[in-house]
Amino acid sequence: DQQVKQNSPSLSVQEGRISILNCDYTNSMFDYFLWYKKYPAEGPTFLISISSIKDKNEDGRFTVFLNKSAKHLSLHIVPSQPGDSAVYFCAASSFGNEKLTFGTGTRLTIIP
Amino acid sequence: DTGVSQNPRHKITKRGQNVTFRCDPISEHNRLYWYRQTLGQGPEFLTYFQNEAQLEKSRLLSDRFSAERPKGSFSTLEIQRTEQGDSAMYLCASSLVAGTNYGYTFGSGTRLTVV
């Protein structure tokens, strides 16, 4: 039972354009959402998070949007840079729970 | 602070052998987590410690798996009688604060190959 879904295994974006990565979830108990970035041979690195009481959180070039009614979140990267090429994981947790539930990841390739 | 350190980076073992991995968290972090990542999947939760107490275990952690954090610092994950299905990347992470609001800091993982 995949509670966090990333339906696009890969995405290619021209350098300087906007990258939009999508994530859907099924568990209504999830109230905190995170994005991680992973380079080959490294562990995932925390990027940005959002609480369910918000619908947007911004940090520099990265913005996460949350649509609770649709159980959908997205990560926007603008402008996209070559160093953004990596696998991006969406993750979710519920209040008081230390466990993260991850999606299967989206491989983002930025084309110079 | 060198981050979360995991050893070894790679381990190849024959089916049926026992293996042990080590994780050294960031020194002031009292929470330590183990995750497993198989090909094409995201990391899956295995277990977590607060100091030396193991507070939660996933159903993925069969009786062949055991994790310890004896003094609330480093942790070990042992797999007994390895099977080919155990082949995966084993990730350790640590955090200072409760909950996941600030994200964990992950190590680079130990890649296990069972032949």
Side-chain angles (χ1 to χ4, degrees), chain B residues 23-38:
Chain B
C23 171
D24 288 89
I26 293 172
S27 57
E28 64 268 26
H29 286 185
N30 62 350
R31 286 166 166 78
L32 185 147
Y33 311 84
W34 284 99
Y35 280 75
R36 180 176 74 180
Q37 185 179 10
T38 53

Side-chain angles (χ1 to χ4, degrees), chain A residues 31-34 36 46 49 92-101, chain B residues 29-33 35 45 48-50 55-56 93-106:
Chain A
D31 60 1
Y32 211 83
F33 304 90
L34 306 91
Y36 280 81
F46 172 71
S49 62
S93 69
S94 52
F95 178 75
N97 194 326
E98 300 275 345
K99 178 179 83 172
L100 286 175
T101 301
Chain B
H29 286 185
N30 62 350
R31 286 166 166 78
L32 185 147
Y33 311 84
Y35 280 75
F45 173 80
Y48 117 85
F49 292 84
Q50 182 175 329
L55 296 186
E56 189 174 350
S94 68
S95 72
L96 179 60
V97 295
T100 57
N101 296 20
Y102 299 95
Y104 310 144
T105 302
F106 278 92

Side-chain angles (χ1 to χ4, degrees), chain A residues 32-52:
Chain A
Y32 211 83
F33 304 90
L34 306 91
W35 285 94
Y36 280 81
K37 174 180 179 179
K38 186 180 184 306
Y39 292 121
E42 294 183 13
T45 302
F46 172 71
L47 255 184
I48 191 169
S49 62
I50 188 166
S51 161
S52 60

Side-chain angles (χ1 to χ4, degrees), chain A residues 48-74:
Chain A
I48 191 169
S49 62
I50 188 166
S51 161
S52 60
I53 63 173
K54 295 186 174 181
D55 54 20
K56 177 182 173 181
N57 188 26
E58 195 170 350
D59 183 3
R61 296 185 300 114
F62 302 92
T63 303
V64 56
F65 295 92
L66 175 62
N67 182 335
K68 289 186 291 295
S69 60
K71 293 193 176 69
H72 177 83
L73 61 154
S74 61

Side-chain angles (χ1 to χ4, degrees), chain B residues 2-110:
Chain B
T2 56
V4 177
S5 175
Q6 291 189 247
N7 288 289
R9 291 295 305 272
H10 303 276
K11 178 72 177 178
I12 300 174
T13 191
K14 290 185 178 179
R15 191 175 53 182
Q17 298 292 304
N18 299 345
V19 293
T20 301
F21 312 139
R22 175 177 170 127
C23 171
D24 288 89
I26 293 172
S27 57
E28 64 268 26
H29 286 185
N30 62 350
R31 286 166 166 78
L32 185 147
Y33 311 84
W34 284 99
Y35 280 75
R36 180 176 74 180
Q37 185 179 10
T38 53
L39 202 61
Q41 300 297 314
E44 295 173 290
F45 173 80
L46 291 178
T47 188
Y48 117 85
F49 292 84
Q50 182 175 329
N51 299 312
E52 65 274 12
Q54 187 173 19
L55 296 186
E56 189 174 350
K57 293 199 303 187
S58 161
R59 58 179 173 77
L60 291 175
L61 217 64
S62 75
D63 55 7
R64 296 186 297 106
F65 288 70
S66 63
E68 293 183 343
R69 193 181 183 199
K71 296 181 180 178
S73 57
F74 73 92
S75 174
T76 57
L77 178 67
E78 181 183 17
I79 309 174
Q80 296 183 326
R81 305 181 302 281
T82 53
E83 301 172 356
Q84 288 191 319
D86 297 331
S87 295
M89 175 74 83
Y90 289 84
L91 293 161
C92 176
S94 68
S95 72
L96 179 60
V97 295
T100 57
N101 296 20
Y102 299 95
Y104 310 144
T105 302
F106 278 92
S108 297
T110 294

